[in-house]
Amino acid sequence: MSEPTNSTAEYEVKSSLSDSGVNQKSMPSHGLLSRLYTGTGAFQVVGRRRFYYTLTGVIVLIALLSIVIRGFTLGIDFEGGSRIQFPAGGDVDTAQVESVYSDALGIEAEAVQVVGSGSSATVQIRSETLDAGQIVALQDALFDEFQPTDSNGTPSKNSISVADVSETWGGQVTKKALIALVVFLVIVSVYIAVRFERDMAIAAITALFFDMIVTAGVYSLVGFEVTPATVIGFLTILGFSLYDSVVVFDKVEENTRGILHLNRRTYAEQANLAVNQTLMRSINTTVISVLPVIALMVVAVWMLGVGTLKDLALVQLVGIVVGAYSSIFFATPLLVSIKERWGPVAGHTRKVLAKREAATSRDATRTPVASSGSRIPTGSESVPARAASGAPRPGSRPTGKRHKRRH
């Protein structure tokens, strides 16, 4: 009896390690939640980066158009002017207040809103700076029409309060807000440049600017007044965005350490695996951060009527969600694009892909013959694509059993 040829022996070994004879449809598969928690790399983020670049570009375009066309509604703390406030009572609406204001002064109010609900509801009128005579005339008109009461329940003209903010003060607030934003960005840039390598720093800072533009665009679309609370919330969400990017990049750095000396996976594949491994953590962090903000909006703004907190709540809610999106779907794909365009990573990627293509071509053209003269299936027929290409499918799980040598 003839001895098995080398081709036959090679085929038998390969068959014992493959799962080509297994019905893949009958095997259990990972569910969505399972893939999220296990972080097996099943979600293709980096591989679909062109789609996410397009989506990111559309979001930025909408935000910029809103900023340019609609602009921002600056609060009295930034523009200056007069704020008139009095208890709303039970049947006061903004249209009545606007009518009384225009009849008394001959000009239109810039903004009229009812803040709060129930007995704590108040009417707030924002206007250009009024002189003493205009203030007296407006107080008389409002008192005659609405009869607002003081804390004792007695109708009183003193319950109509007036506060003036000069344009000089508004300019100082604006200047300080811009200085705070610039200082924050400088400190963040220095930290990222020291903490990470150059390409990671570029990607993280670009994602940070994306968060700023989109959050500002949403604020412009909604039309809320920009107040000092808005600026505080803005700086807060930028810190959150930076934190999420640092978490993801830490994992990318860990997965890609020494990858230039290996030829099995590319930088993009390892970066995508890092995104999958931190995806559940990013989702949990985002949800946990959003819940208190939603509670703030519901309790403080809707139930207690603290209208000034809605500015802080909105900017934090939008910023947290946008920051989570940018760290996962924009910062990491951008890092991979930078790496694969310049530097040694680009050459390493070409080398790995060329090696896989060569292995696939070699397995496809190999046709071993068994000792009985029958044709042994080629690699393209029996060996799964995973073994032929040299790259495991994202999220794949082993289905065959390895034959162990018994001693």
Side-chain angles (χ1 to χ4, degrees), residues 26-54:
S26 65
M27 297 303 297
S29 58
H30 288 296
L32 176 62
L33 293 178
S34 176
R35 285 179 287 165
L36 277 175
Y37 276 99
T38 55
T40 55
F43 295 96
Q44 194 57 255
V45 176
V46 175
R48 300 186 62 196
R49 57 183 179 272
R50 290 187 178 181
F51 166 77
Y52 292 115
Y53 288 160
T54 303

Side-chain angles (χ1 to χ4, degrees), residues 145-211:
E145 179 69 22
F146 301 110
Q147 295 289 310
T149 59
D150 55 20
S151 57
N152 298 322
T154 304
S156 173
K157 190 182 297 184
N158 293 330
S159 62
I160 305 174
S161 62
V162 180
D164 291 328
V165 177
S166 66
E167 294 183 2
T168 303
W169 168 256
Q172 291 177 352
V173 172
T174 304
K175 182 179 179 181
K176 290 180 180 179
L178 292 176
I179 291 176
L181 182 60
V182 171
V183 169
F184 177 85
L185 292 176
V186 170
I187 294 175
V188 165
S189 300
V190 172
Y191 169 76
I192 293 177
V194 173
R195 175 65 180 82
F196 295 113
E197 47 152 337
R198 180 198 62 191
D199 296 338
M200 285 187 175
I202 294 174
I205 293 175
T206 304
L208 201 63
F209 277 99
F210 166 79
D211 298 338

